[in-house]
Protein backbone atom coordinates (compact mmCIF):
# COMPACT_ATOMS: atom_id res chain seq x y z
CA UNK A 1 0.00 0.00 0.00
CA UNK A 2 1.33 3.47 -0.83
CA UNK A 3 2.27 5.89 1.95
CA UNK A 4 -0.23 8.58 2.97
CA UNK A 5 0.64 11.89 1.31
CA UNK A 6 0.60 15.05 3.42
CA UNK A 7 3.19 17.29 1.82
CA UNK A 8 4.07 17.76 -1.84
CA UNK A 9 7.18 19.50 -3.19
CA UNK A 10 7.25 21.25 -6.57
CA UNK A 11 10.22 22.36 -8.67
CA UNK A 12 11.08 23.57 -12.16
CA UNK A 13 14.22 22.32 -13.86
CA UNK A 14 16.04 22.61 -17.20
CA UNK A 15 15.30 25.37 -19.70
CA UNK A 16 12.52 27.69 -18.57
CA UNK A 17 9.31 27.69 -20.60
CA UNK A 18 6.29 30.02 -20.60
CA UNK A 19 3.57 28.38 -18.53
CA UNK A 20 5.88 27.04 -15.80
CA UNK A 21 4.53 29.62 -13.34
CA UNK A 22 0.97 28.71 -14.24
CA UNK A 23 1.80 25.04 -13.59
CA UNK A 24 3.36 25.79 -10.19
CA UNK A 25 0.26 27.80 -9.36
CA UNK A 26 -2.04 24.93 -10.30
CA UNK A 27 -0.04 22.47 -8.18
CA UNK A 28 -0.10 24.81 -5.18
CA UNK A 29 -3.81 25.58 -5.55
CA UNK A 30 -4.68 21.88 -6.00
CA UNK A 31 -2.75 21.10 -2.81
CA UNK A 32 -4.67 23.80 -1.01
CA UNK A 33 -7.99 22.50 -2.42
CA UNK A 34 -7.23 18.96 -1.22
CA UNK A 35 -5.84 20.14 2.17
CA UNK A 36 -2.28 19.09 1.44
CA UNK A 37 0.81 21.10 2.34
CA UNK A 38 2.97 22.37 -0.51
CA UNK A 39 6.64 23.26 -0.58
CA UNK A 40 8.35 25.14 -3.42
CA UNK A 41 11.90 24.08 -4.23
CA UNK A 42 14.06 26.88 -5.65
CA UNK A 43 16.61 26.33 -8.47
CA UNK A 44 15.43 22.88 -9.51
CA UNK A 45 17.41 19.81 -8.47
CA UNK A 46 20.28 22.00 -7.22
CA UNK A 47 17.93 23.63 -4.72
CA UNK A 48 16.72 20.18 -3.73
CA UNK A 49 20.29 19.19 -2.86
CA UNK A 50 20.78 22.40 -0.86
CA UNK A 51 17.37 22.34 0.85
CA UNK A 52 16.35 25.66 -0.71
CA UNK A 53 12.66 25.24 0.17
CA UNK A 54 9.76 27.55 0.94
CA UNK A 55 6.26 26.73 2.10
CA UNK A 56 3.72 27.85 -0.50
CA UNK A 57 0.02 28.44 0.02
CA UNK A 58 -2.77 29.48 -2.33
CA UNK A 59 -1.93 33.19 -1.89
CA UNK A 60 1.80 32.66 -2.57
CA UNK A 61 0.98 32.09 -6.23
CA UNK A 62 -1.18 35.15 -6.82
CA UNK A 63 -0.38 37.13 -9.98
CA UNK A 64 1.90 34.52 -11.50
CA UNK A 65 -0.37 32.86 -14.08
CA UNK A 66 0.50 35.54 -16.65
CA UNK A 67 4.26 35.63 -16.05
CA UNK A 68 6.89 33.98 -18.24
CA UNK A 69 9.93 32.20 -16.80
CA UNK A 70 9.66 30.52 -13.41
CA UNK A 71 9.56 32.29 -10.06
CA UNK A 72 11.04 29.15 -8.48
CA UNK A 73 14.06 29.60 -10.83
CA UNK A 74 15.64 26.79 -12.77
CA UNK A 75 19.02 25.10 -13.18
CA UNK A 76 20.56 22.20 -15.05
CA UNK A 77 22.20 20.58 -11.99
CA UNK A 78 25.35 18.54 -12.61
CA UNK A 79 25.50 17.48 -8.95
CA UNK A 80 22.09 15.78 -9.19
CA UNK A 81 23.58 13.53 -11.88
CA UNK A 82 25.73 11.95 -9.15
CA UNK A 83 24.51 9.41 -6.64
CA UNK A 84 25.94 11.53 -3.79
CA UNK A 85 23.99 14.57 -5.00
CA UNK A 86 20.75 12.61 -5.15
CA UNK A 87 21.39 11.21 -1.65
CA UNK A 88 21.79 14.76 -0.28
CA UNK A 89 18.54 15.73 -2.01
CA UNK A 90 16.73 12.79 -0.45
CA UNK A 91 18.04 13.71 3.00
CA UNK A 92 16.74 17.27 2.58
CA UNK A 93 13.31 16.05 1.51
CA UNK A 94 13.12 13.67 4.46
CA UNK A 95 14.16 16.45 6.88
CA UNK A 96 11.42 18.69 5.46
CA UNK A 97 8.83 15.91 5.63
CA UNK A 98 8.08 16.06 1.90
CA UNK A 99 6.27 12.90 0.73
CA UNK A 100 6.20 13.36 -3.05
CA UNK A 101 7.58 15.64 -5.73
CA UNK A 102 6.15 17.28 -8.85
CA UNK A 103 8.93 18.01 -11.33
CA UNK A 104 8.19 20.48 -14.12
CA UNK A 105 10.60 20.33 -17.08
CA UNK A 106 11.77 18.33 -20.08
CA UNK A 107 13.56 15.05 -20.71
CA UNK A 108 16.61 15.86 -18.53
CA UNK A 109 14.29 16.67 -15.63
CA UNK A 110 12.35 13.43 -16.12
CA UNK A 111 15.53 11.34 -16.44
CA UNK A 112 16.75 12.73 -13.10
CA UNK A 113 13.32 12.03 -11.60
CA UNK A 114 13.37 8.39 -12.71
CA UNK A 115 16.83 7.80 -11.17
CA UNK A 116 15.76 9.47 -7.94
CA UNK A 117 12.49 7.61 -7.69
CA UNK A 118 14.17 4.24 -8.38
CA UNK A 119 16.96 4.81 -5.84
CA UNK A 120 14.83 6.03 -2.96
CA UNK A 121 11.40 4.64 -3.82
CA UNK A 122 10.22 8.25 -3.77
CA UNK A 123 6.97 9.31 -5.53
CA UNK A 124 7.70 11.56 -8.51
CA UNK A 125 5.21 12.96 -11.01
CA UNK A 126 6.32 14.99 -14.05
CA UNK A 127 4.75 17.88 -15.95
CA UNK A 128 6.17 18.34 -19.48
CA UNK A 129 7.46 21.88 -19.94
CA UNK A 130 9.79 22.80 -22.76
CA UNK A 131 9.37 24.96 -25.83
CA UNK A 132 10.81 22.08 -27.91
CA UNK A 133 7.67 19.85 -27.73
CA UNK A 134 9.99 16.82 -27.76
CA UNK A 135 8.36 14.68 -25.06
CA UNK A 136 6.75 11.38 -25.93
CA UNK A 137 3.17 10.65 -24.87
CA UNK A 138 1.84 14.20 -24.77
CA UNK A 139 0.58 16.14 -27.77
CA UNK A 140 1.89 19.39 -26.31
CA UNK A 141 4.49 20.50 -23.82
CA UNK A 142 4.10 23.70 -21.81
CA UNK A 143 5.62 26.71 -23.50
CA UNK A 144 5.49 25.33 -27.02
CA UNK A 145 2.35 27.21 -28.07
CA UNK A 146 3.67 30.50 -26.69
CA UNK A 147 7.03 29.98 -28.42
CA UNK A 148 5.26 29.31 -31.72
CA UNK A 149 3.32 32.55 -31.41
CA UNK A 150 6.53 34.44 -30.60
CA UNK A 151 8.28 32.96 -33.65
CA UNK A 152 5.39 33.69 -35.99
CA UNK A 153 5.19 37.29 -34.75
CA UNK A 154 8.95 37.71 -35.30
CA UNK A 155 8.85 36.23 -38.80
CA UNK A 156 5.90 38.43 -39.72
CA UNK A 157 8.13 41.40 -38.93
CA UNK A 158 11.06 39.96 -40.85
CA UNK A 159 8.74 39.43 -43.82
CA UNK A 160 8.16 43.19 -44.02
CA UNK A 161 11.86 43.75 -44.71
CA UNK A 162 12.18 40.64 -46.90
CA UNK A 163 9.39 41.85 -49.11
CA UNK A 164 10.40 45.55 -49.15
CA UNK A 165 13.97 44.72 -50.21
CA UNK A 166 13.35 41.57 -52.29
CA UNK A 167 15.53 39.59 -49.92
CA UNK A 168 15.95 35.99 -48.91
CA UNK A 169 15.91 35.53 -45.14
CA UNK A 170 17.14 32.49 -43.26
CA UNK A 171 15.56 32.44 -39.81
CA UNK A 172 16.96 30.09 -37.17
CA UNK A 173 14.57 28.80 -34.53
CA UNK A 174 15.18 26.67 -31.43
CA UNK A 175 14.01 23.11 -30.77
CA UNK A 176 17.24 21.26 -30.01
CA UNK A 177 16.86 17.96 -31.97
CA UNK A 178 13.17 18.42 -32.72
CA UNK A 179 11.68 20.23 -35.72
CA UNK A 180 8.26 20.94 -34.24
CA UNK A 181 8.85 24.66 -33.69
CA UNK A 182 10.31 25.04 -37.19
CA UNK A 183 7.63 23.08 -39.03
CA UNK A 184 4.64 24.65 -37.32
CA UNK A 185 5.96 28.21 -37.24
CA UNK A 186 7.11 27.81 -40.84
CA UNK A 187 3.60 26.95 -41.94
CA UNK A 188 2.08 29.63 -39.71
CA UNK A 189 4.41 32.32 -41.03
CA UNK A 190 4.14 31.21 -44.66
CA UNK A 191 7.79 30.20 -45.14
CA UNK A 192 8.96 29.00 -48.54
CA UNK A 193 11.01 26.18 -47.03
CA UNK A 194 11.58 24.60 -43.63
CA UNK A 195 14.69 22.65 -42.60
CA UNK A 196 14.23 20.24 -39.71
CA UNK A 197 16.53 17.75 -37.96
CA UNK A 198 14.29 14.78 -38.72
CA UNK A 199 14.83 15.04 -42.51
CA UNK A 200 18.12 14.52 -44.35
CA UNK A 201 17.19 15.85 -47.76
CA UNK A 202 16.73 19.37 -46.41
CA UNK A 203 19.42 21.33 -48.27
CA UNK A 204 18.74 19.85 -51.71
CA UNK A 205 15.05 20.43 -51.25
CA UNK A 206 15.72 23.97 -50.10
CA UNK A 207 17.65 24.78 -53.30
CA UNK A 208 14.92 23.19 -55.37
CA UNK A 209 12.25 25.25 -53.55
CA UNK A 210 14.18 28.45 -54.10
CA UNK A 211 14.43 27.75 -57.82
CA UNK A 212 10.73 27.02 -57.99
CA UNK A 213 9.89 30.16 -56.02
CA UNK A 214 11.95 32.26 -58.42
CA UNK A 215 10.33 30.63 -61.43
CA UNK A 216 6.92 31.29 -59.88
CA UNK A 217 7.74 35.00 -59.69
CA UNK A 218 8.40 35.31 -55.96
CA UNK A 219 10.72 38.20 -55.21
CA UNK A 220 11.40 37.44 -51.55
CA UNK A 221 11.58 34.26 -49.54
CA UNK A 222 11.77 33.06 -45.98
CA UNK A 223 13.44 29.81 -44.98
CA UNK A 224 12.94 28.58 -41.43
CA UNK A 225 15.93 26.60 -40.19
CA UNK A 226 15.68 24.46 -37.05
CA UNK A 227 18.82 24.84 -34.94
CA UNK A 228 19.34 21.05 -34.92
CA UNK A 229 18.96 20.45 -38.67
CA UNK A 230 21.50 18.01 -40.04
CA UNK A 231 23.04 19.63 -43.14
CA UNK A 232 26.34 19.90 -41.30
CA UNK A 233 26.39 23.66 -41.94
CA UNK A 234 25.48 26.38 -39.50
CA UNK A 235 22.97 28.97 -40.67
CA UNK A 236 25.66 31.45 -41.83
CA UNK A 237 27.39 28.72 -43.85
CA UNK A 238 24.03 27.79 -45.31
CA UNK A 239 23.56 31.39 -46.42
CA UNK A 240 27.01 31.35 -48.08
CA UNK A 241 26.24 28.03 -49.71
CA UNK A 242 23.05 29.41 -51.27
CA UNK A 243 24.90 32.51 -52.44
CA UNK A 244 27.54 30.32 -54.10
CA UNK A 245 24.78 28.54 -56.05
CA UNK A 246 23.07 31.77 -57.09
CA UNK A 247 24.75 35.13 -56.53
CA UNK A 248 21.61 37.08 -57.34
CA UNK A 249 20.19 36.39 -53.89
CA UNK A 250 20.44 39.21 -51.36
CA UNK A 251 20.54 37.06 -48.25
CA UNK A 252 20.20 37.94 -44.55
CA UNK A 253 20.31 35.70 -41.51
CA UNK A 254 18.27 36.14 -38.35
CA UNK A 255 18.81 33.94 -35.28
CA UNK A 256 15.80 34.34 -32.99
CA UNK A 257 17.46 32.79 -29.91
CA UNK A 258 16.10 33.10 -26.40
CA UNK A 259 13.26 35.49 -27.18
CA UNK A 260 11.49 32.21 -28.02
CA UNK A 261 11.68 31.10 -24.38
CA UNK A 262 10.34 34.28 -22.80
CA UNK A 263 7.14 36.24 -22.52
CA UNK A 264 3.69 35.92 -21.10
CA UNK A 265 2.21 32.44 -21.73
CA UNK A 266 -0.58 32.09 -24.29
CA UNK A 267 -4.07 31.23 -23.06
CA UNK A 268 -3.54 27.71 -24.40
CA UNK A 269 -0.40 27.27 -22.26
CA UNK A 270 -2.11 28.69 -19.17
CA UNK A 271 -5.05 26.31 -19.50
CA UNK A 272 -2.76 23.37 -20.26
CA UNK A 273 -0.60 24.23 -17.23
CA UNK A 274 -3.69 24.38 -15.03
CA UNK A 275 -4.96 20.99 -16.23
CA UNK A 276 -1.57 19.32 -15.86
CA UNK A 277 -0.89 20.84 -12.43
CA UNK A 278 -4.20 19.63 -11.03
CA UNK A 279 -3.65 16.26 -12.76
CA UNK A 280 -0.23 15.91 -11.12
CA UNK A 281 -1.53 16.40 -7.58
CA UNK A 282 -4.45 14.04 -8.23
CA UNK A 283 -2.07 11.38 -9.62
CA UNK A 284 0.03 11.59 -6.44
CA UNK A 285 -3.12 11.28 -4.32
CA UNK A 286 -4.04 8.17 -6.34
CA UNK A 287 -0.70 6.62 -5.35
CA UNK A 288 0.89 7.00 -8.81
CA UNK A 289 4.60 7.51 -9.21
CA UNK A 290 7.07 7.84 -12.09
CA UNK A 291 4.32 9.11 -14.39
CA UNK A 292 4.10 12.21 -16.53
CA UNK A 293 0.80 14.05 -16.78
CA UNK A 294 0.24 14.85 -20.44
CA UNK A 295 -2.47 15.80 -22.89
CA UNK A 296 -3.48 13.34 -25.58
CA UNK A 297 -6.45 13.95 -27.88
CA UNK A 298 -7.69 16.61 -25.43
CA UNK A 299 -7.62 14.18 -22.49
CA UNK A 300 -5.34 14.44 -19.49
CA UNK A 301 -3.32 11.21 -19.44
CA UNK A 302 -0.79 9.51 -17.16
CA UNK A 303 2.23 8.23 -19.08
CA UNK A 304 5.18 6.32 -17.53
CA UNK A 305 8.15 8.70 -17.24
CA UNK A 306 10.35 6.09 -18.95
CA UNK A 307 8.05 6.21 -21.99
CA UNK A 308 8.00 10.02 -21.97
CA UNK A 309 11.79 10.25 -22.34
CA UNK A 310 12.07 7.59 -25.05
CA UNK A 311 10.98 9.84 -27.91
CA UNK A 312 12.02 8.74 -31.41
CA UNK A 313 12.52 11.54 -33.95
CA UNK A 314 9.43 11.65 -36.14
CA UNK A 315 8.06 14.01 -38.77
CA UNK A 316 4.40 14.86 -38.89
CA UNK A 317 3.91 13.80 -42.54
CA UNK A 318 0.62 15.63 -42.85
CA UNK A 319 2.22 18.88 -41.70
CA UNK A 320 5.06 18.42 -44.18
CA UNK A 321 2.53 17.80 -46.96
CA UNK A 322 0.60 20.94 -46.02
CA UNK A 323 3.84 22.97 -45.88
CA UNK A 324 4.79 21.77 -49.38
CA UNK A 325 1.39 22.53 -50.87
CA UNK A 326 0.97 25.96 -49.29
CA UNK A 327 4.45 27.21 -50.24
CA UNK A 328 4.08 26.80 -54.02
O1 LIG B 1 15.25 23.01 -24.46
C1 LIG B 1 14.94 24.36 -24.63
C2 LIG B 1 16.04 25.06 -25.38
O2 LIG B 1 15.69 26.43 -25.52
C3 LIG B 1 16.40 24.45 -26.74
O3 LIG B 1 15.50 24.79 -27.76
C4 LIG B 1 17.79 25.00 -26.94
O4 LIG B 1 18.55 24.15 -27.77
C5 LIG B 1 18.35 25.01 -25.54
O5 LIG B 1 17.25 24.99 -24.64
C6 LIG B 1 19.21 26.20 -25.21
O6 LIG B 1 19.70 26.04 -23.93
P1 LIG B 1 20.45 27.19 -23.09
O7 LIG B 1 19.43 28.21 -22.69
O8 LIG B 1 21.00 26.47 -21.92
O9 LIG B 1 21.48 27.77 -24.00
Amino acid sequence: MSKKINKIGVLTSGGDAPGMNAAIRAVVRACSYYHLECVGVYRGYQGLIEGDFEKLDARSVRNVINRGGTFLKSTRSLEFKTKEGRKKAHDKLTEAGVDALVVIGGDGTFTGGVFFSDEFNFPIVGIPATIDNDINGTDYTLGYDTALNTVVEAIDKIRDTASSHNRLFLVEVMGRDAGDIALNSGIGAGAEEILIPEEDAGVERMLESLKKSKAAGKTSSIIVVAEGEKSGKNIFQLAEFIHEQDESYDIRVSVLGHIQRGGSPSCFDRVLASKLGVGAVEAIMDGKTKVMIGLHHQNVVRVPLETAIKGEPKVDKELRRVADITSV
Side-chain angles (χ1 to χ4, degrees), residues 76 130-132 174-176 227 258 261:
R76 293 188 166 115
T130 160
I131 63 163
D132 302 339
M174 279 185 168
R176 210 182 283 272
E227 63 174 351
H258 286 80
R261 285 239 297 262

Side-chain angles (χ1 to χ4, degrees), residues 193 203-214:
E193 191 47 270
V203 180
E204 281 67 41
R205 209 198 17 236
M206 175 186 70
L207 291 174
E208 206 42 49
S209 298
L210 285 174
K211 271 191 205 148
K212 276 192 201 151
S213 296
K214 226 179 191 181

Side-chain angles (χ1 to χ4, degrees), residues 95-318:
E95 261 172 47
V98 177
D99 305 306
L101 207 51
V102 177
V103 297
I104 304 171
D107 57 353
T109 305
F110 292 171
T111 305
V114 168
F115 269 110
F116 189 75
S117 184
D118 283 344
E119 276 167 4
F120 302 102
N121 190 24
F122 195 90
I124 298 265
V125 170
I127 294 180
T130 160
I131 63 163
D132 302 339
N133 204 38
D134 59 350
I135 300 291
N136 209 23
T138 185
D139 297 340
Y140 302 103
T141 55
L142 285 181
Y144 172 60
D145 180 69
T146 305
L148 282 181
N149 287 314
T150 302
V151 172
V152 166
E153 198 185 326
I155 299 179
D156 285 351
K157 289 178 178 163
I158 287 170
R159 173 179 293 283
D160 290 345
T161 301
S163 130
S164 303
H165 287 265
N166 288 347
R167 280 182 181 161
L168 165 61
F169 266 88
L170 302 189
V171 183
E172 184 184 285
V173 300
M174 279 185 168
R176 210 182 283 272
D177 297 319
D180 294 43
I181 295 180
L183 195 50
N184 280 278
S185 68
I187 292 174
E192 271 58 46
E193 191 47 270
I194 304 162
L195 303 191
I196 56 175
E198 295 86 346
E199 291 173 335
D200 285 340
V203 180
E204 281 67 41
R205 209 198 17 236
M206 175 186 70
L207 291 174
E208 206 42 49
S209 298
L210 285 174
K211 271 191 205 148
K212 276 192 201 151
S213 296
K214 226 179 191 181
K218 292 193 186 186
T219 53
S220 65
S221 292
I222 288 170
I223 298 183
V224 175
V225 182
E227 63 174 351
E229 66 86 24
K230 301 282 192 293
S231 68
K233 295 178 173 42
N234 68 36
I235 193 162
F236 296 97
Q237 293 166 333
L238 268 180
E240 269 176 36
F241 177 71
I242 297 171
H243 199 251
E244 278 161 20
Q245 314 299 311
D246 185 339
E247 288 192 353
S248 69
Y249 283 117
D250 184 11
I251 310 176
R252 294 292 186 275
V253 167
S254 187
V255 177
L256 297 188
H258 286 80
I259 64 159
Q260 294 162 93
R261 285 239 297 262
S264 182
S266 65
C267 181
F268 178 88
D269 274 329
R270 297 180 198 195
V271 175
L272 180 63
S274 304
K275 283 180 171 177
L276 301 187
V278 169
V281 172
E282 290 176 343
I284 290 172
M285 290 167 67
D286 287 346
K288 300 291 173 206
T289 180
K290 280 207 294 176
V291 292
M292 171 189 79
I293 309 304
L295 191 78
H296 188 54
H297 295 155
Q298 302 300 331
N299 296 313
V300 173
V301 290
R302 296 169 178 177
V303 180
L305 277 180
E306 280 103 336
T307 308
I309 54 187
K310 253 195 218 130
E312 289 295 315
K314 56 184 182 318
V315 188
D316 184 330
K317 292 209 171 80
E318 178 57 9

